Amino acid sequence: MKEIRGTSNRYLFIDLTNQAWRVHQASADDLKNFLGGKGLALKIYYDLCKDRLAEIDPLGPDNLLIFANGVLLTTGAPCSARFEVLTRSPLTGYMVASSCGGPFGEACKTAGWDGVIVAGRAEKPVVVRFDDREVVFEDAGDLWGAGTRRTQEELLKSPKDGAAVIGPAGENQVLYANICSGHRFAGRGGVGAVMGAKHLKALVARGKEYRFVPVDREKFARTLKKAKAHIRRSPFTQGLKAYGTNMNTRFGIDSGYTPVRNFRDRYHPRTEETTGEVMARRYNTRHSTCRYCSVLCGHKGMYPDGKMRVVSEYETTGMFGSNIGNFDTDRIGVWNEAMNDLGMDTISAGGTIAWAMEAGEKGLRQTELSFDHHDNIGQILEDIACRRGEGTELADGTKRLSEKYGGKAFAMHTKGLEFAAYDPRGCWGHGLSYAVHNKGGCHLGSYLVSLEVLLGYMPPLTTLGKASWVVFCEDVFAGINSLQTCLFTALSIMTEPVVPKYLPKAMLNVATIVFPKISQSLMNWSVYADFFSAITGIPMNQWQFKKAGERITKLERYMNVRMGQTPGEDTLPDRFTKEAVTKYPVASAVPIARMVRQYYRIRKYDPQTAGPSEKDLRRLGIAV
Amino acid sequence: MSYAITELCTGCGACMRLCPVSAITGEKKQPHRISASLCIECGACGRICAASAVLDDSGKTVPKMKKSEWPRPVITRELCVACENCVAVCPAQALAMADEALPLADNYAVLARPAKCVSCGWCRDHCLFDAIVMEGAS
């Protein structure tokens, strides 16, 4: 096996229109400034499209679909099997980057490529195979129409292969179709629809040609030991290991972030039937993880019908459980499996169906969907994926439906991306996280619910300090998504320092909101900077790492503004900001306007444009 | 890169029967060949070859070794967390979980089919919990 020190910085540029390919070499400066993974993919997209950002049709041949690996991949660093898929989203109209822990990244990286840039559109559906020196364009044949499972079974010919594929939802350009690799997904923002629009059924990489070794092996070994120890002894990891992400259900019941009936009620006693503890017992759960995982949040289990299947993640359990009035986890497991095979995002699908149920209840739109019966959910999922009947409209997501029929006040999305299963009336900072995230209503922009509720570091129902924490977490998380490793490692690694670990919770809850900057400076995320510098040989400390995250976030915001984003889109629907009284005993409405103003001030965004100034971009070394 | 079979091959078929990814083809008593695109460079073909007819990816002859002396994964039960990554990546399906009836926290991976193990070391490379070492019987 050949050896590369650091990383290759080589990207495979595939032109589907002309069935041609070439090497795209990223510069060492860009690697240093954008870290690889998501960050470098964003920079590549910007460099190749900056003259026509506003004109790019997300589903047209002009859009680029970039698969990007980070420098950590295949080094043995914890939770590092991840790759990023970046494009202009057909759902939001803005940039989207979605992370996946499947085997495609490993195969692509060990074929010597740091990523793949897909341009153009094939005339007929194709499968593209590549290794370290050759790209082959094959007719997709009868795989066009096949589910993600069969597609992979037929395409993978060797244990060295890894594939990224779409299902029928991607082919039919469902605006929230995803991309599947193994049993993991680049889930959000419709990256699968972009792949389908390009008539690309699958990318298949044949790897194991290259081994990547860190430039500074000793530093890497030291950092690895430290990171593993932090992750292993974290109580957060222990919870995920035992119950998967469904451990979050319990926190939701207690703190009032449970999504109930299209985020109307915040509480339902039967949510007790869908907790991680209940599901672990019922399905005798086993681990079903990403490769190189050390957190082990992914689970599978034996269902009563005798079939071993992946247990739904918390987001799916929430969106297809309490949010549509269903408390039967067996059904959620079956629907989850169906959606995985059809290749569509379970969060957006659940959010869209819940909106349709409420719109039907209110007489805005005729539908067979109802919070009170769920026998037709399996059928409607297939209809969405194939754009049949009512599914034709539902495939376009909540935003477009509410623009057509009314009901924007309860259209639960930001910038067109449906919210994940956390009601921000139980965690205001998380509401700001949803509102200002460049991607839209994704929970992982700054995931503030983790600090507000899951770890209990700050009181959830106050605006104090929240904007500062959202900025801080967005920057660090953008860096982590570029290395890239799993965001769950952050909740172990950043909680290691003495201050959050040993300071009494009451004092911590005051310090984090009254002195957010000081509290942040007492956190420690140097492990990530150390990983980057050990592998690449490029010196970097944790503040430079955070600044790279700021650079990535602001470039993404700048591109979004060029694509048409306006200040009014950094907000939440009326349901979260005006409907304070729900079935949860504590009334709460998110004072979003105040927090967004604070966020803009800290970010130095112009309130008129919602974007950074050119001066600020120049300070970060971004030439526009 | 790939392993390769030289003209010393006697066509006995031992390598072909052992290859976990069916990368070797050939008629009996005729020289066999390895498909470069399928080979996973585990080296099992070379270690089993009585004629020393297999070259590794750097062109060196792979020395023959008694199968009982091949490195095998030794899994430390106390360190194993049952993540199943080793089971998933094993190209020879030699590993399995000990007992699915055990509670999750008590389960662990085992070398369930040692005869199938080709000593590739992929299980060790994918274990993030340092629970696997490769040890030869000798």
Side-chain angles (χ1 to χ4, degrees):
Chain A
M1 203 180 282
K2 291 167 277 188
E3 197 170 281
I4 291 177
R5 292 179 79 225
T7 196
S8 75
N9 253 6
R10 288 168 83 240
Y11 284 72
L12 173 62
F13 187 101
I14 296 174
D15 173 1
L16 289 172
T17 307
N18 299 303
Q19 299 214 339
W21 64 277
R22 62 180 166 81
V23 178
H24 177 96
Q25 190 71 43
S27 74
D29 269 355
D30 279 351
L31 176 64
K32 180 185 174 187
N33 291 328
F34 292 90
L35 305 174
K38 175 193 170 174
L40 193 44
L42 188 77
K43 180 64 164 47
I44 290 171
Y45 192 104
Y46 177 70
D47 285 344
L48 296 177
C49 302
K50 61 184 164 194
D51 298 330
R52 54 187 174 91
L53 282 174
E55 291 82 47
I56 293 170
D57 172 6
L59 297 175
D62 285 352
N63 198 7
L64 299 179
L65 182 67
I66 304 181
F67 296 76
N69 307 315
V71 300
L72 287 189
L73 191 57
T74 73
T75 59
C79 309
S80 59
R82 313 199 70 80
F83 63 95
E84 198 84 4
V85 185
L86 179 137
T87 189
R88 184 175 185 179
S89 162
L91 190 61
T92 68
Y94 306 129
M95 296 307 297
V96 64
S98 202
S99 177
C100 176
F104 173 77
E106 183 179 11
C108 178
K109 176 98 178 177
T110 56
W113 303 103
D114 270 5
V116 182
I117 305 161
V118 183
R121 174 192 282 152
E123 198 176 326
K124 288 181 181 171
V126 291
V127 168
V128 177
R129 291 182 182 274
F130 64 91
D131 57 20
D132 59 330
R133 69 206 109 167
E134 193 181 18
V135 178
V136 178
F137 298 83
E138 294 174 358
D139 192 330
D142 73 347
L143 282 181
W144 196 254
T148 57
R149 181 185 291 244
R150 193 193 118 204
T151 302
Q152 292 186 90
E153 280 170 3
E154 294 204 12
L155 288 176
L156 299 177
K157 294 180 177 168
S158 158
K160 295 192 289 189
D161 290 348
V165 310
I166 56 169
E171 296 168 10
N172 295 309
Q173 299 173 32
V174 173
L175 297 189
Y176 42 88
N178 60 26
I179 294 174
C180 173
S181 182
H183 60 281
R184 312 301 295 187
F185 298 83
R188 306 229 63 199
V191 290
V194 175
M195 195 158 157
K198 291 185 175 303
H199 290 161
L200 178 59
K201 179 67 180 177
L203 278 173
V204 186
R206 177 151 296 179
K208 299 275 182 198
E209 287 296 327
Y210 289 91
R211 177 188 299 121
F212 290 81
V213 293
V215 170
D216 185 342
R217 289 187 196 223
E218 278 183 25
K219 184 175 183 178
F220 179 80
R222 278 199 311 274
T223 311
L224 183 62
K225 192 174 171 190
K226 196 167 156 185
K228 279 184 177 178
H230 290 184
I231 293 167
R232 276 179 206 173
R233 64 179 172 234
S234 154
F236 189 75
T237 306
Q238 299 305 326
L240 288 171
K241 196 188 284 182
Y243 306 119
T245 49
N246 287 307
M247 78 175 212
N248 292 357
T249 308
R250 165 61 48 209
F251 289 101
I253 295 168
D254 294 344
S255 67
Y257 67 57
T258 307
V260 181
R261 294 195 167 214
N262 196 32
F263 290 95
R264 190 168 56 191
D265 298 340
R266 293 179 62 202
Y267 177 77
H268 196 293
R270 289 193 64 195
T271 315
E272 293 284 353
E273 296 166 33
T274 66
T275 63
E277 294 86 335
V278 168
M279 290 168 81
R281 275 197 303 273
R282 180 166 177 82
Y283 304 124
N284 185 24
T285 52
R286 313 279 104 184
H287 294 305
S288 174
T289 71
C290 304
R291 287 192 184 173
Y292 300 107
C293 179
S294 52
V295 172
L296 313 184
C297 74
H299 285 219
K300 62 186 175 184
M302 187 61 76
Y303 279 66
D305 61 3
K307 190 169 178 186
M308 179 74 86
R309 52 171 68 91
V310 167
V311 173
S312 57
E313 299 282 351
Y314 166 70
E315 310 302 336
T316 314
T317 307
M319 300 309 281
F320 277 88
S322 52
N323 203 42
I324 61 166
N326 167 58
F327 301 95
D328 180 347
T329 56
D330 297 354
R331 279 182 153 179
I332 300 172
V334 173
W335 298 333
N336 182 50
E337 184 179 50
M339 283 184 281
N340 289 348
D341 200 45
L342 295 166
M344 73 167 113
D345 173 24
T346 59
I347 300 176
S348 282
T352 304
I353 288 170
W355 179 89
M357 288 174 167
E358 185 164 354
E361 212 173 67
K362 288 186 158 65
L364 295 175
R365 181 177 172 275
Q366 279 205 326
T367 180
E368 294 298 311
L369 293 164
S370 160
F371 290 116
D372 298 323
H373 67 88
H374 306 97
D375 291 341
N376 53 357
I377 296 293
Q379 184 60 52
I380 201 75
L381 293 174
E382 282 185 30
D383 289 347
I384 291 172
C386 298
R387 283 189 174 270
R388 282 191 306 241
E390 187 177 359
T392 310
E393 281 191 338
L394 298 183
D396 288 336
T398 308
K399 179 169 181 265
R400 285 165 178 80
L401 282 165
S402 64
E403 285 168 352
K404 182 172 178 184
Y405 292 100
K408 286 185 185 177
F410 59 88
M412 308 314 289
H413 70 87
T414 286
K415 303 183 185 83
L417 190 71
E418 287 75 10
F419 299 121
Y422 306 94
D423 188 320
R425 286 170 291 185
C427 38
W428 289 359
H430 196 71
L432 179 62
S433 175
Y434 279 145
V436 297
H437 187 26
N438 293 334
K439 188 171 166 182
C442 170
H443 54 302
L444 296 173
S446 45
Y447 202 37
L448 225 61
V449 65
S450 62
L451 298 180
E452 294 180 298
V453 179
L454 307 182
L455 295 169
Y457 281 11
M458 57 186 69
L461 304 187
T462 175
T463 61
L464 265 182
K466 296 299 170 65
S468 179
W469 279 101
V470 166
V471 169
F472 173 78
C473 289
E474 276 188 343
D475 289 348
V476 174
F477 289 3
I480 293 171
N481 275 330
S482 300
L483 277 181
Q484 58 178 326
T485 178
C486 175
L487 281 183
F488 287 156
T489 63
L491 302 180
S492 308
I493 286 167
M494 288 171 63
T495 55
E496 261 304 312
V498 174
V499 172
K501 203 168 179 182
Y502 297 113
L503 200 66
K505 275 277 165 70
M507 286 174 72
L508 194 62
N509 268 256
V510 173
T512 48
I513 58 169
V514 179
F515 310 110
K517 286 271 183 194
I518 296 172
S519 309
Q520 288 153 19
S521 68
L522 296 172
M523 306 285 268
N524 188 337
W525 59 99
S526 60
V527 161
Y528 299 112
D530 289 346
F531 267 135
F532 182 82
S533 56
I535 292 167
T536 62
I538 298 169
M540 181 164 292
N541 62 36
Q542 65 171 6
W543 295 103
Q544 292 166 321
F545 180 82
K546 180 178 171 296
K547 192 170 179 182
E550 181 187 357
R551 188 176 292 121
I552 293 161
T553 305
K554 287 188 171 171
L555 175 60
E556 189 174 45
R557 172 55 69 118
Y558 171 75
M559 291 165 72
N560 276 5
V561 171
R562 292 262 312 269
M563 289 172 169
Q565 191 191 318
T566 58
E569 290 179 89
D570 283 329
T571 191
L572 297 173
D574 287 353
R575 169 150 292 165
F576 289 156
T577 58
K578 293 181 179 163
E579 294 178 22
V581 178
T582 62
K583 290 189 176 164
Y584 187 72
V586 181
S588 159
V590 186
I592 193 64
R594 193 189 319 160
M595 288 193 290
V596 170
R597 276 197 303 276
Q598 290 165 351
Y599 175 85
Y600 274 33
R601 201 160 48 237
I602 296 168
R603 277 280 184 222
K604 299 194 184 77
Y605 285 171
D606 180 348
Q608 303 302 316
T609 66
S613 65
E614 291 195 6
K615 185 182 165 195
D616 196 32
L617 291 172
R618 276 199 300 277
R619 175 184 67 84
L620 292 165
I622 303 169
V624 294
Chain B
M1 300 298 283
S2 161
Y3 279 45
I5 296 174
T6 69
E7 68 280 3
L8 296 175
C9 174
T10 59
C12 71
C15 58
M16 194 164 70
R17 288 190 291 276
L18 194 64
C19 178
V21 291
S22 306
I24 304 174
T25 51
E27 297 297 322
K28 205 168 182 184
K29 295 189 178 173
Q30 297 296 317
H32 286 27
R33 62 178 293 278
I34 299 175
S35 161
S37 65
L38 294 179
C39 174
I40 60 168
E41 296 105 38
C42 66
C45 49
R47 288 191 296 273
I48 202 77
C49 181
S52 295
V54 179
L55 306 179
D56 68 15
D57 52 1
S58 60
K60 291 180 189 156
T61 301
V62 182
K64 182 173 164 41
M65 192 186 279
K66 277 188 195 167
K67 212 171 172 194
S68 60
E69 294 174 356
W70 289 17
R72 301 260 195 258
V74 176
I75 301 167
T76 306
R77 184 174 169 176
E78 292 72 30
L79 293 176
C80 177
V81 297
C83 74
E84 300 196 18
N85 260 325
C86 56
V87 177
V89 298
C90 176
Q93 291 84 48
L95 294 154
M97 300 312 294
D99 184 355
E100 295 295 10
L102 284 172
L104 178 59
D106 297 339
N107 207 0
Y108 55 99
V110 291
L111 182 61
R113 293 170 285 273
K116 287 190 133 196
C117 176
V118 290
S119 309
C120 63
W122 286 17
C123 50
R124 173 203 54 203
D125 297 345
H126 280 81
C127 179
L128 272 232
F129 299 90
D130 308 318
I132 303 179
V133 291
M134 299 297 288
E135 285 181 6
S138 60

